[in-house]
């Protein structure tokens, strides 16, 4: 079966899951941590070369403080769990903002954990405008033309899987996503199960990849 | 019903339609012209403010010469038909390449036709790298930092509809698409029918637009 090299993960629906289960919205994020680790182990076993998790964005930080604290903590916990695995980890996001958690600063250059192998990128306080150097702050510092994306160490994405039913990219790595095949799962992220990945991979294998040619 | 301001149209499946109907691939493009006009009239009637058609891309120009000629001619014909309507037309693409048809040069600044009203953008020899000024040729000319996109006159897209079953953006306006809702129709573009638009709009009206907040 033709497998994607690089899978993008948009783990949406934590708040809706919480509400459906009688919890306040911010309680949903914690329930998204284990699914992330399960998914990692599955991809590792399948031989996927790279995964990128959409942690949180600069747009998300406009949410109520309780939610912001909860999703930030969930990202910190998720990255720490992943650092116990065999993986080459990179946390990417705007570290110049106070919304970027100090605990994750040591992860902002790619590092090999355990025996390495699979590349794992985790977007934390990521913004597409920041990535493309379109934000004012970044631009004022640029003296010369700078082609490099902030996300230059993240490769083209073959398959994006989004949980929670929304059919949009929500600013997820616009350059790496230009030709990505996009698979949407209606279940909320905390209800992750391996079958979701098998379904996405089965579908992906049937897609005709032409890159416009 | 909540309507999108701006709809992006990816009219895919012309070649597959031709093959399914016993024609050679390049014959499919011509069959895509009338659907484009029908769709325009429908959107105009519904009060949509802006539509963008994905004509062809710089990547598409790698296809066999016969196909390239056929899709270029179909774009020329489509734009000419639209210029008989009440619309504010803009053709956008890399005019510095020989793949950009001379006949469409007069349309590369937005012009009002008839009574104007709805904005219609038509991408012709468009490339996302060119749009973002990432291409080498454009960059060599830039002395200073230039934030402007080539597509700066095209607004954020609310809803993208793609015909032909593929679930990918294929480089369609990456910046305007960051938060677009993406609706895929399995029918091929030459089989366009108004119900496709009604289905897309019904679905769009049920989507929760948060822009990450």
């Amino acid at each position: 079966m033709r497998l994607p090299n690089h899978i993008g993960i948009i783990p949406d629906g934590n708040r809706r899951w919480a509400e459906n289960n009688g919890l306040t919205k911010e309680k949903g994020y914690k329930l998204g941590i284990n699914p992330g680790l399960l998914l990692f182990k599955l991809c590792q076993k399948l031989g996927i070369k790279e995964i990128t998790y959409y942690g949180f964005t600069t747009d998300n930080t406009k949410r109520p403080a309780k939610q912001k604290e909860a999703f930030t903590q969930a990202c910190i916990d998720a990255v720490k769990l992943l650092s116990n695995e065999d993986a080459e980890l990179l946390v990417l996001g705007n570290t110049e903002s106070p919304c970027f958690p100090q605990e994750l600063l040591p992860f902002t250059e790619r590092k090999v954990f355990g025996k390495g192998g699979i590349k794992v990128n985790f977007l934390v306080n990521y913004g597409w405008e920041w990535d493309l150097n379109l934000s004012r702050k970044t631009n004022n510092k640029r003296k010369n033309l700078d082609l490099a994306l902030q996300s230059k160490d993240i490769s083209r994405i073959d398959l994006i899987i989004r949980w929670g039913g929304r059919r949009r990219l929500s600013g997820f790595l616009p350059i790496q996503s230009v030709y990505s095949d996009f698979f949407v799962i209606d279940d909320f992220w905390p209800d992750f199960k391996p079958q979701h990945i098998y379904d996405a991979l089965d579908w992906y294998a049937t897609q005709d990849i032409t890159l416009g040619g």
Side-chain angles (χ1 to χ4, degrees), chain A:
Chain A
M1 197 167 83
R2 191 174 57 88
L3 284 175
N5 282 315
H6 185 175
I7 303 179
I9 300 294
I10 306 183
D12 194 25
N14 297 283
R15 293 185 294 176
R16 286 175 280 159
W17 188 96
E19 284 191 307
N20 283 358
N21 287 274
L23 302 171
T24 49
K25 284 183 179 181
E26 76 280 2
K27 294 284 196 296
Y29 295 114
K30 205 174 172 175
L31 279 301
I33 300 173
N34 275 331
L37 190 63
L38 263 172
L39 178 142
F40 164 82
K41 289 186 176 176
L42 189 56
C43 288
Q44 189 184 41
K45 204 167 143 187
L46 290 165
I48 303 298
K49 296 197 175 68
E50 188 166 357
I51 334 175
T52 299
Y53 294 96
Y54 210 14
F56 71 88
T57 68
T58 46
D59 286 339
N60 296 155
T61 63
K62 292 176 260 169
R63 294 179 184 170
K66 260 190 190 173
Q67 291 180 29
K68 195 177 142 182
E69 278 163 38
F71 65 63
T72 304
Q73 192 58 51
C75 286
I76 296 170
D77 294 346
V79 170
K80 289 193 173 166
L81 272 178
L82 289 165
S83 71
N84 295 326
E85 303 294 320
D86 296 326
E88 304 180 10
L89 265 180
L90 173 71
V91 170
L92 180 83
N94 185 354
T95 56
E96 292 171 22
S97 134
C99 296
F100 190 94
Q102 297 295 309
E103 293 92 325
L104 294 183
L105 283 174
F107 297 91
T108 53
E109 304 236 326
R110 194 180 299 282
K111 248 182 245 168
V112 174
F113 291 88
K115 297 175 206 153
I118 182 171
K119 282 187 184 177
V120 177
N121 314 305
F122 209 106
L123 305 186
V124 168
N125 200 40
Y126 171 89
W128 62 271
E129 286 159 304
W130 167 82
D131 188 4
L132 274 63
N133 293 310
L134 297 177
S135 67
R136 199 159 304 214
K137 201 174 169 190
T138 312
N139 275 312
N140 284 344
K141 290 191 190 161
R142 293 204 295 173
K143 294 280 178 276
N144 304 317
L145 185 72
D146 178 10
L147 273 184
L149 299 170
Q150 299 282 352
S151 61
K152 60 186 184 303
D153 294 328
I154 298 183
S155 72
R156 198 71 81 83
I157 298 175
D158 304 297
L159 169 65
I160 296 172
I161 313 176
R162 180 170 185 145
W163 277 259
R166 305 279 185 245
R167 303 190 214 166
R168 58 177 87 120
L169 292 177
S170 300
F172 183 63
L173 295 167
I175 299 306
Q176 287 85 347
S177 301
V178 287
Y179 274 116
S180 305
D181 280 299
F182 187 45
F183 191 81
V184 176
I185 289 165
D186 286 328
D187 289 347
F188 298 135
W189 172 245
D191 285 328
F192 169 82
K193 48 191 173 200
Q195 191 60 43
H196 293 152
I197 296 290
Y198 301 135
D199 290 346
L201 291 178
D202 283 347
W203 172 79
Y204 177 79
T206 66
Q207 299 306 298
D208 177 31
I209 310 301
T210 63
L211 303 179

